[in-house]
């Protein structure tokens, strides 16, 4: 990956932004889905899908890619997992505030 050729500290902003964007997208899509389909429970399925995708990215980085590129891909997998969990918690907090 070309962004890894610089200093090692250059990767962290990309990884943080990836986690933040994942959390915001998950929360936004989850809120929109709740507004359009209030009786369906799709956010839990989206959370499960993103966690599986993150675990797959970590597994793929450990088994096939390896090296520094594999480490970056594994960190992206962790960010997708934690971003999805953060987005799910944000969605739950928004729904609690709306009920009050």
């Amino acid at each position: 990956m070309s962004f890894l050729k610089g200093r090692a500290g250059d990767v962290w902003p990309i990884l943080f932004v990836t986690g933040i964007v994942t959390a915001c997208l998950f929360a936004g899509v989850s809120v929109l889905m709740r507004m359009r389909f209030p009786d369906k429970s799709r956010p839990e399925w989206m959370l499960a899908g993103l966690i599986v995708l993150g675990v797959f990215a970590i597994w793929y980085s450990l088994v096939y890619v390896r090296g520094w590129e594999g480490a970056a891909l594994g960190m992206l997998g962790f960010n997708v997992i934690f971003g999805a969990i953060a987005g799910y918690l944000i969605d739950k907090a928004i729904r609690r505030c709306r009920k009050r």
Side-chain angles (χ1 to χ4, degrees):
M1 297 185 154
S2 63
F3 66 85
L4 289 174
K5 291 183 180 179
R7 295 185 346 238
D10 294 340
V11 177
W12 291 109
I14 294 170
L15 295 176
F16 286 133
V17 168
T18 303
I20 292 169
V21 167
T22 303
C24 291
L25 284 175
F26 185 89
V29 169
S30 178
V31 168
L32 289 175
M33 295 290 286
R34 292 273 184 202
M35 289 171 54
R36 293 193 61 133
F37 306 107
D39 57 338
K40 307 276 182 178
S41 65
R42 298 190 196 275
E44 288 80 13
W45 287 103
M46 290 188 321
L47 176 66
L50 285 171
I51 288 176
V52 168
L53 185 66
V55 169
F56 176 74
I58 293 168
W59 173 79
Y60 185 78
S61 72
L62 289 173
V63 174
Y64 292 108
V65 180
R66 301 185 187 210
W68 286 111
E69 289 87 6
L73 184 60
M75 288 299 293
L76 281 172
F78 276 116
N79 275 336
V80 167
I81 291 170
F82 291 122
I85 292 170
Y88 181 73
L89 294 175
I90 291 169
D91 174 55
K92 289 290 186 181
I94 289 172
R95 287 195 306 150
R96 276 199 181 152
C97 289
R98 280 191 175 178
K99 286 182 181 179
R100 292 181 185 177

